[in-house]
Amino acid sequence: MDFTAPAERLGLDVDEYIELVELFLETGAGDISGLENAVAENDIQAVVERSHSLKGASGNLGLNDIYEKAKEIEARARDKSLESIDVSISEIKQYLENIKNDLNR
């Protein structure tokens, strides 16, 4: 992932942006864990809240793939459907892993 373009869009230097992304990775892990627990407990409201949080944070950082998946999860939960959300969560986890790998290069 090229961190320069999203940093520039936010008016940050690359190091500042990377610092925010690292913070997002930490908080995102908690949101993912909470999201998985909410799905397992069939807690639709918690799914809405966790996915909304993830959507907002990723959108603010320009992490569009995560934003779109979180948006999709939130919309399905608002429609009272948790079907296939586990697949979307797995995809978000893969996006997060890819970002971690890019940061460690």
mmCIF file of all heavy atoms in Angstrom, residues 40-70:
data_model
loop_
_atom_site.group_PDB
_atom_site.id
_atom_site.type_symbol
_atom_site.label_atom_id
_atom_site.label_comp_id
_atom_site.label_asym_id
_atom_site.label_seq_id
_atom_site.Cartn_x
_atom_site.Cartn_y
_atom_site.Cartn_z
ATOM 1 N N ALA A 40 -21.633 -13.819 16.945
ATOM 2 C CA ALA A 40 -21.797 -15.110 17.629
ATOM 3 C C ALA A 40 -22.980 -15.078 18.600
ATOM 4 O O ALA A 40 -23.674 -16.083 18.769
ATOM 5 C CB ALA A 40 -20.522 -15.478 18.381
ATOM 6 N N GLU A 41 -23.206 -13.918 19.206
ATOM 7 C CA GLU A 41 -24.307 -13.770 20.160
ATOM 8 C C GLU A 41 -25.602 -13.311 19.498
ATOM 9 O O GLU A 41 -26.607 -13.087 20.173
ATOM 10 C CB GLU A 41 -23.901 -12.789 21.262
ATOM 11 C CG GLU A 41 -22.754 -13.305 22.108
ATOM 12 C CD GLU A 41 -22.202 -12.255 23.054
ATOM 13 O OE1 GLU A 41 -22.760 -11.134 23.144
ATOM 14 O OE2 GLU A 41 -21.190 -12.562 23.717
ATOM 15 N N ASN A 42 -25.553 -13.130 18.176
ATOM 16 C CA ASN A 42 -26.716 -12.666 17.414
ATOM 17 C C ASN A 42 -27.223 -11.319 17.935
ATOM 18 O O ASN A 42 -28.419 -11.052 17.969
ATOM 19 C CB ASN A 42 -27.823 -13.727 17.424
ATOM 20 C CG ASN A 42 -28.749 -13.580 16.231
ATOM 21 O OD1 ASN A 42 -28.317 -13.186 15.149
ATOM 22 N ND2 ASN A 42 -30.011 -13.897 16.438
ATOM 23 N N ASP A 43 -26.282 -10.456 18.341
ATOM 24 C CA ASP A 43 -26.590 -9.128 18.883
ATOM 25 C C ASP A 43 -26.513 -8.112 17.753
ATOM 26 O O ASP A 43 -25.462 -7.528 17.494
ATOM 27 C CB ASP A 43 -25.612 -8.801 20.011
ATOM 28 C CG ASP A 43 -25.921 -7.491 20.709
ATOM 29 O OD1 ASP A 43 -26.683 -6.669 20.153
ATOM 30 O OD2 ASP A 43 -25.378 -7.295 21.819
ATOM 31 N N ILE A 44 -27.628 -7.916 17.093
ATOM 32 C CA ILE A 44 -27.670 -7.067 15.906
ATOM 33 C C ILE A 44 -27.245 -5.639 16.226
ATOM 34 O O ILE A 44 -26.494 -5.025 15.465
ATOM 35 C CB ILE A 44 -29.061 -7.122 15.245
ATOM 36 C CG1 ILE A 44 -29.234 -8.506 14.599
ATOM 37 C CG2 ILE A 44 -29.241 -6.005 14.230
ATOM 38 C CD1 ILE A 44 -30.544 -8.751 13.926
ATOM 39 N N GLN A 45 -27.706 -5.083 17.344
ATOM 40 C CA GLN A 45 -27.349 -3.712 17.688
ATOM 41 C C GLN A 45 -25.842 -3.559 17.868
ATOM 42 O O GLN A 45 -25.254 -2.582 17.415
ATOM 43 C CB GLN A 45 -28.087 -3.251 18.944
ATOM 44 C CG GLN A 45 -27.855 -1.793 19.285
ATOM 45 C CD GLN A 45 -28.253 -0.834 18.165
ATOM 46 O OE1 GLN A 45 -29.258 -1.035 17.483
ATOM 47 N NE2 GLN A 45 -27.450 0.195 17.951
ATOM 48 N N ALA A 46 -25.218 -4.520 18.510
ATOM 49 C CA ALA A 46 -23.766 -4.468 18.689
ATOM 50 C C ALA A 46 -23.043 -4.602 17.351
ATOM 51 O O ALA A 46 -22.007 -3.957 17.138
ATOM 52 C CB ALA A 46 -23.301 -5.555 19.659
ATOM 53 N N VAL A 47 -23.570 -5.409 16.450
ATOM 54 C CA VAL A 47 -22.984 -5.523 15.109
ATOM 55 C C VAL A 47 -23.057 -4.171 14.405
ATOM 56 O O VAL A 47 -22.084 -3.715 13.798
ATOM 57 C CB VAL A 47 -23.679 -6.622 14.271
ATOM 58 C CG1 VAL A 47 -23.196 -6.589 12.820
ATOM 59 C CG2 VAL A 47 -23.441 -7.996 14.877
ATOM 60 N N VAL A 48 -24.204 -3.515 14.504
ATOM 61 C CA VAL A 48 -24.367 -2.189 13.895
ATOM 62 C C VAL A 48 -23.338 -1.219 14.484
ATOM 63 O O VAL A 48 -22.645 -0.508 13.752
ATOM 64 C CB VAL A 48 -25.804 -1.650 14.089
ATOM 65 C CG1 VAL A 48 -25.900 -0.178 13.705
ATOM 66 C CG2 VAL A 48 -26.804 -2.471 13.287
ATOM 67 N N GLU A 49 -23.222 -1.199 15.801
ATOM 68 C CA GLU A 49 -22.320 -0.256 16.460
ATOM 69 C C GLU A 49 -20.864 -0.518 16.115
ATOM 70 O O GLU A 49 -20.114 0.420 15.799
ATOM 71 C CB GLU A 49 -22.525 -0.315 17.976
ATOM 72 C CG GLU A 49 -23.867 0.241 18.402
ATOM 73 C CD GLU A 49 -24.217 -0.061 19.852
ATOM 74 O OE1 GLU A 49 -23.385 -0.639 20.584
ATOM 75 O OE2 GLU A 49 -25.356 0.268 20.255
ATOM 76 N N ARG A 50 -20.432 -1.764 16.178
ATOM 77 C CA ARG A 50 -19.029 -2.094 15.880
ATOM 78 C C ARG A 50 -18.699 -1.834 14.422
ATOM 79 O O ARG A 50 -17.627 -1.311 14.105
ATOM 80 C CB ARG A 50 -18.736 -3.552 16.228
ATOM 81 C CG ARG A 50 -18.755 -3.860 17.677
ATOM 82 C CD ARG A 50 -17.614 -3.178 18.396
ATOM 83 N NE ARG A 50 -17.586 -3.607 19.780
ATOM 84 C CZ ARG A 50 -16.528 -3.569 20.547
ATOM 85 N NH1 ARG A 50 -15.393 -3.107 20.087
ATOM 86 N NH2 ARG A 50 -16.586 -3.967 21.790
ATOM 87 N N SER A 51 -19.590 -2.208 13.527
ATOM 88 C CA SER A 51 -19.307 -1.995 12.105
ATOM 89 C C SER A 51 -19.331 -0.502 11.772
ATOM 90 O O SER A 51 -18.533 -0.030 10.957
ATOM 91 C CB SER A 51 -20.289 -2.775 11.226
ATOM 92 O OG SER A 51 -21.620 -2.402 11.487
ATOM 93 N N HIS A 52 -20.199 0.253 12.436
ATOM 94 C CA HIS A 52 -20.256 1.694 12.218
ATOM 95 C C HIS A 52 -18.949 2.348 12.669
ATOM 96 O O HIS A 52 -18.405 3.215 11.973
ATOM 97 C CB HIS A 52 -21.450 2.292 12.971
ATOM 98 C CG HIS A 52 -21.614 3.752 12.738
ATOM 99 N ND1 HIS A 52 -22.200 4.254 11.602
ATOM 100 C CD2 HIS A 52 -21.242 4.817 13.488
ATOM 101 C CE1 HIS A 52 -22.186 5.581 11.661
ATOM 102 N NE2 HIS A 52 -21.609 5.947 12.801
ATOM 103 N N SER A 53 -18.430 1.928 13.811
ATOM 104 C CA SER A 53 -17.168 2.442 14.321
ATOM 105 C C SER A 53 -16.030 2.143 13.356
ATOM 106 O O SER A 53 -15.219 3.027 13.022
ATOM 107 C CB SER A 53 -16.883 1.824 15.693
ATOM 108 O OG SER A 53 -15.614 2.183 16.160
ATOM 109 N N LEU A 54 -15.982 0.918 12.892
ATOM 110 C CA LEU A 54 -14.957 0.495 11.946
ATOM 111 C C LEU A 54 -15.082 1.257 10.629
ATOM 112 O O LEU A 54 -14.078 1.689 10.044
ATOM 113 C CB LEU A 54 -15.087 -1.009 11.719
ATOM 114 C CG LEU A 54 -13.942 -1.752 11.109
ATOM 115 C CD1 LEU A 54 -12.659 -1.583 11.898
ATOM 116 C CD2 LEU A 54 -14.286 -3.236 11.022
ATOM 117 N N LYS A 55 -16.303 1.444 10.197
ATOM 118 C CA LYS A 55 -16.558 2.177 8.954
ATOM 119 C C LYS A 55 -16.053 3.611 9.069
ATOM 120 O O LYS A 55 -15.355 4.106 8.186
ATOM 121 C CB LYS A 55 -18.058 2.163 8.643
ATOM 122 C CG LYS A 55 -18.435 2.904 7.375
ATOM 123 C CD LYS A 55 -19.940 2.905 7.162
ATOM 124 C CE LYS A 55 -20.568 3.951 8.056
ATOM 125 N NZ LYS A 55 -21.986 4.166 7.786
ATOM 126 N N GLY A 56 -16.374 4.269 10.160
ATOM 127 C CA GLY A 56 -15.968 5.662 10.339
ATOM 128 C C GLY A 56 -14.466 5.832 10.403
ATOM 129 O O GLY A 56 -13.891 6.697 9.730
ATOM 130 N N ALA A 57 -13.815 5.001 11.200
ATOM 131 C CA ALA A 57 -12.364 5.111 11.357
ATOM 132 C C ALA A 57 -11.637 4.818 10.047
ATOM 133 O O ALA A 57 -10.716 5.545 9.666
ATOM 134 C CB ALA A 57 -11.884 4.173 12.457
ATOM 135 N N SER A 58 -12.062 3.772 9.360
ATOM 136 C CA SER A 58 -11.393 3.422 8.102
ATOM 137 C C SER A 58 -11.676 4.459 7.021
ATOM 138 O O SER A 58 -10.796 4.800 6.233
ATOM 139 C CB SER A 58 -11.803 2.020 7.634
ATOM 140 O OG SER A 58 -13.194 1.951 7.409
ATOM 141 N N GLY A 59 -12.887 4.986 7.003
ATOM 142 C CA GLY A 59 -13.235 6.021 6.031
ATOM 143 C C GLY A 59 -12.418 7.284 6.234
ATOM 144 O O GLY A 59 -11.953 7.901 5.275
ATOM 145 N N ASN A 60 -12.232 7.664 7.498
ATOM 146 C CA ASN A 60 -11.437 8.858 7.803
ATOM 147 C C ASN A 60 -9.999 8.722 7.343
ATOM 148 O O ASN A 60 -9.356 9.717 7.003
ATOM 149 C CB ASN A 60 -11.462 9.156 9.309
ATOM 150 C CG ASN A 60 -12.795 9.694 9.762
ATOM 151 O OD1 ASN A 60 -13.559 10.253 8.987
ATOM 152 N ND2 ASN A 60 -13.087 9.520 11.037
ATOM 153 N N LEU A 61 -9.492 7.509 7.325
ATOM 154 C CA LEU A 61 -8.102 7.271 6.908
ATOM 155 C C LEU A 61 -7.968 6.930 5.423
ATOM 156 O O LEU A 61 -6.869 6.715 4.937
ATOM 157 C CB LEU A 61 -7.494 6.145 7.747
ATOM 158 C CG LEU A 61 -7.249 6.498 9.199
ATOM 159 C CD1 LEU A 61 -6.825 5.266 9.981
ATOM 160 C CD2 LEU A 61 -6.201 7.593 9.312
ATOM 161 N N GLY A 62 -9.092 6.851 4.734
ATOM 162 C CA GLY A 62 -9.041 6.526 3.317
ATOM 163 C C GLY A 62 -8.765 5.060 3.042
ATOM 164 O O GLY A 62 -8.292 4.705 1.974
ATOM 165 N N LEU A 63 -9.062 4.202 4.021
ATOM 166 C CA LEU A 63 -8.896 2.754 3.841
ATOM 167 C C LEU A 63 -10.203 2.213 3.265
ATOM 168 O O LEU A 63 -11.036 1.636 3.963
ATOM 169 C CB LEU A 63 -8.534 2.101 5.173
ATOM 170 C CG LEU A 63 -7.257 2.651 5.826
ATOM 171 C CD1 LEU A 63 -7.075 2.086 7.227
ATOM 172 C CD2 LEU A 63 -6.047 2.372 4.957
ATOM 173 N N ASN A 64 -10.373 2.441 1.979
ATOM 174 C CA ASN A 64 -11.668 2.239 1.329
ATOM 175 C C ASN A 64 -12.163 0.803 1.311
ATOM 176 O O ASN A 64 -13.366 0.568 1.395
ATOM 177 C CB ASN A 64 -11.634 2.812 -0.085
ATOM 178 C CG ASN A 64 -11.440 4.317 -0.050
ATOM 179 O OD1 ASN A 64 -11.898 5.000 0.861
ATOM 180 N ND2 ASN A 64 -10.735 4.836 -1.037
ATOM 181 N N ASP A 65 -11.258 -0.172 1.187
ATOM 182 C CA ASP A 65 -11.700 -1.570 1.167
ATOM 183 C C ASP A 65 -12.351 -1.939 2.496
ATOM 184 O O ASP A 65 -13.395 -2.589 2.525
ATOM 185 C CB ASP A 65 -10.528 -2.513 0.888
ATOM 186 C CG ASP A 65 -9.992 -2.374 -0.530
ATOM 187 O OD1 ASP A 65 -10.760 -1.970 -1.421
ATOM 188 O OD2 ASP A 65 -8.802 -2.679 -0.736
ATOM 189 N N ILE A 66 -11.731 -1.513 3.587
ATOM 190 C CA ILE A 66 -12.287 -1.802 4.912
ATOM 191 C C ILE A 66 -13.578 -1.017 5.106
ATOM 192 O O ILE A 66 -14.572 -1.550 5.601
ATOM 193 C CB ILE A 66 -11.258 -1.483 6.012
ATOM 194 C CG1 ILE A 66 -10.052 -2.414 5.861
ATOM 195 C CG2 ILE A 66 -11.884 -1.598 7.404
ATOM 196 C CD1 ILE A 66 -8.876 -2.063 6.748
ATOM 197 N N TYR A 67 -13.565 0.238 4.683
ATOM 198 C CA TYR A 67 -14.759 1.074 4.781
ATOM 199 C C TYR A 67 -15.958 0.421 4.085
ATOM 200 O O TYR A 67 -17.045 0.334 4.650
ATOM 201 C CB TYR A 67 -14.488 2.459 4.163
ATOM 202 C CG TYR A 67 -15.722 3.306 4.021
ATOM 203 C CD1 TYR A 67 -16.180 4.073 5.095
ATOM 204 C CD2 TYR A 67 -16.440 3.333 2.839
ATOM 205 C CE1 TYR A 67 -17.332 4.834 4.969
ATOM 206 C CE2 TYR A 67 -17.579 4.091 2.710
ATOM 207 C CZ TYR A 67 -18.026 4.840 3.780
ATOM 208 O OH TYR A 67 -19.178 5.586 3.656
ATOM 209 N N GLU A 68 -15.745 -0.050 2.858
ATOM 210 C CA GLU A 68 -16.846 -0.644 2.085
ATOM 211 C C GLU A 68 -17.377 -1.921 2.749
ATOM 212 O O GLU A 68 -18.587 -2.145 2.782
ATOM 213 C CB GLU A 68 -16.416 -0.912 0.646
ATOM 214 C CG GLU A 68 -16.230 0.335 -0.183
ATOM 215 C CD GLU A 68 -17.497 1.177 -0.337
ATOM 216 O OE1 GLU A 68 -18.615 0.625 -0.338
ATOM 217 O OE2 GLU A 68 -17.357 2.409 -0.442
ATOM 218 N N LYS A 69 -16.480 -2.760 3.257
ATOM 219 C CA LYS A 69 -16.921 -3.998 3.923
ATOM 220 C C LYS A 69 -17.680 -3.674 5.210
ATOM 221 O O LYS A 69 -18.702 -4.289 5.515
ATOM 222 C CB LYS A 69 -15.738 -4.926 4.216
ATOM 223 C CG LYS A 69 -15.227 -5.626 3.008
ATOM 224 C CD LYS A 69 -16.269 -6.554 2.464
ATOM 225 C CE LYS A 69 -15.921 -7.043 1.084
ATOM 226 N NZ LYS A 69 -17.003 -7.821 0.486
ATOM 227 N N ALA A 70 -17.174 -2.722 5.981
ATOM 228 C CA ALA A 70 -17.849 -2.338 7.225
ATOM 229 C C ALA A 70 -19.218 -1.720 6.923
ATOM 230 O O ALA A 70 -20.194 -1.982 7.629
ATOM 231 C CB ALA A 70 -16.987 -1.367 8.017
#
